[in-house]
Amino acid sequence: MSSQALEFIRPAPVDTAAQRWSVAAVEALFKLPFADLLFQAQQIHRQHFDPNAVQLSTLLSIKTGGCSEDCGYCPQSAFHNAGVENRKMLEVNEVVKAAKAAQAAGADRFCMGAAWREPSAEDMQSVVEMVKAVRALGMETCATLGMLDDEQTEQLRVAGLDYYNHNLDTAPEFYGDIISTRVYQDRLDTLERVRKAGMHVCSGGIVGMGENLTQRAGLIAQLANMEPYPESVPINNLVKVEGTPLADTADLDPLDFVRTIAVARITMPDARVRLSAGRQQMSDAVQALCFLAGANSIFYGDQLLTTGNPEVERDRALLDKLGMYPFAEKNH
Ligand code: SAM
Ligand code: DTB
Ligand code: SF4
């Protein structure tokens, strides 16, 4: 292959320092012809992963609704009327039961989500028990509980938490249009604490919230420029829930969603890129394009937190049809 062709496959991402992505460079990737973008993403994907293996995470809402934050997309915010029933925190035995069922269905990671701005000291005691109990089953553990302080990150690390999910959600420039009750820097601070405590970072965002292309590129640049970038990057397609401020947002073109996955893969070659919320509304063909673009992780199980996800049988059939298999089954 000529050096010119190689340059084309892997364009220099550089802004100033090595590994840093300018928003303009990320935006330029988004603007590539679709086939060129997918070809680059697939090449990079194959250099770093088995392209036919997918990681399966099951989500459980351990505390639902009544959240004091005003995130415009979220049905669990107390500011919106999305008809979500507020529920108190689950008992540890209920969580273990759900984790066992997820494991039996083939999931290797179990993610516990709570509708909190941040957990209280009392909440933390229960979460620590949950993490220990799920870990004891031999599953990878993940939690998403809102903002954390140094003591809480340490408690979670000691309990054996493998991943902490905390999303940047969008570009700094668009963030204020979506959330007013906490600032972007709060999110970066929590991610920094998680990293410092020695846990793996899971952080991504939502597309289809009305952001423009530069803002979409801005989210990816923020993630890719973290040092190091997150091990796990969930890309959510907005699930439009009646009663939330974003319920009437115009649909994102599915091919633009695929492009976002491809750009995440190119800019974060070693990360698990998760094709996250929004799969229930996606055709098998679009999901297949996302896998081709470098997605290698999904939420697996009929429910996300409060909204639906494809049934296990549909996902198994899709993976079979594509000749794909869970990472765990191939010892990856
Ligand atoms: N309360 C914690 C927090 O916000 O950090 C954890 C749970 S919160 C529901 C986790 C993530 O779910 C959000 O950051 C957002 O990215 C995603 N999310 C929530 N509602 C969504 C929706 N309607 N569509 C897509 N993603 C959504
Ligand atoms: C993430 O990035 N997406 C998941 C998980 N992390 C916690 C949550 C999606 C939530 C979709 C809306 C709902 O079901 O309430
Ligand atoms: Fe609360 Fe998290 Fe929903 Fe925001 S995304 S309203 S913090 S549950």
Side-chain angles (χ1 to χ4, degrees), residues 67 69-71 73-74 76-77 114-117 182:
C67 184
E69 299 282 305
D70 69 352
C71 312
Y73 48 75
C74 185
Q76 304 199 68
S77 166
W116 291 320
R117 172 183 169 81
R182 67 178 153 182

Side-chain angles (χ1 to χ4, degrees), residues 232-288:
S232 171
V233 179
I235 305 293
N236 297 277
N237 198 2
L238 175 70
V239 179
K240 294 180 221 176
V241 182
E242 202 65 44
T244 62
L246 297 186
D248 298 324
T249 311
D251 278 341
L252 182 74
D253 185 323
L255 296 183
D256 287 335
F257 185 82
V258 177
R259 282 178 184 275
T260 311
I261 297 275
V263 173
R265 168 54 64 221
I266 292 167
T267 54
M268 293 170 273
D270 284 310
R272 293 280 167 85
V273 175
R274 183 174 304 138
L275 164 53
S276 301
R279 283 199 308 118
Q280 199 177 38
Q281 293 76 19
M282 247 172 237
S283 67
D284 284 359
V286 169
Q287 293 189 60

Side-chain angles (χ1 to χ4, degrees), residues 59 75-76 111 144 165 167 234 236 239 276-277 299 304-308:
L59 258 179
Q76 304 199 68
C111 183
T144 181
N165 168 245
N167 290 337
N236 297 277
V239 179
S276 301
F299 283 123
L304 290 168
L305 292 173
T306 64
T307 65

Side-chain angles (χ1 to χ4, degrees), residues 25-44:
V26 177
E27 197 172 336
L29 287 175
F30 272 99
K31 287 180 173 163
L32 282 174
F34 190 76
D36 293 346
L37 175 63
L38 257 67
F39 181 61
Q40 275 193 47
Q42 176 65 198
Q43 290 241 333
I44 289 174

Side-chain angles (χ1 to χ4, degrees), residues 69 116-119 124 144-149 152-153 164 166 181-183 185-187 189-190 193:
E69 299 282 305
W116 291 320
R117 172 183 169 81
E118 71 251 300
M124 283 302 292
T144 181
L145 316 168
M147 294 186 284
L148 297 179
D149 62 26
Q152 291 169 328
T153 48
Y164 193 75
H166 196 61
T181 47
R182 67 178 153 182
V183 296
Q185 190 59 44
D186 291 329
R187 294 184 183 249
D189 291 347
T190 291
R193 290 191 184 102

Side-chain angles (χ1 to χ4, degrees), residues 76-129:
Q76 304 199 68
S77 166
F79 288 80
H80 319 320
N81 293 309
V84 169
E85 195 188 324
N86 297 348
R87 284 193 277 128
K88 64 175 177 56
M89 191 169 12
L90 296 181
E91 301 291 337
V92 177
N93 65 336
E94 295 175 285
V95 174
V96 171
K97 196 172 153 209
K100 282 182 177 165
Q103 191 175 35
D108 55 282
R109 190 178 304 167
F110 193 68
C111 183
M112 294 157 269
W116 291 320
R117 172 183 169 81
E118 71 251 300
S120 68
E122 198 188 338
D123 297 332
M124 283 302 292
Q125 285 181 2
S126 307
V127 173
V128 160
E129 291 315 310

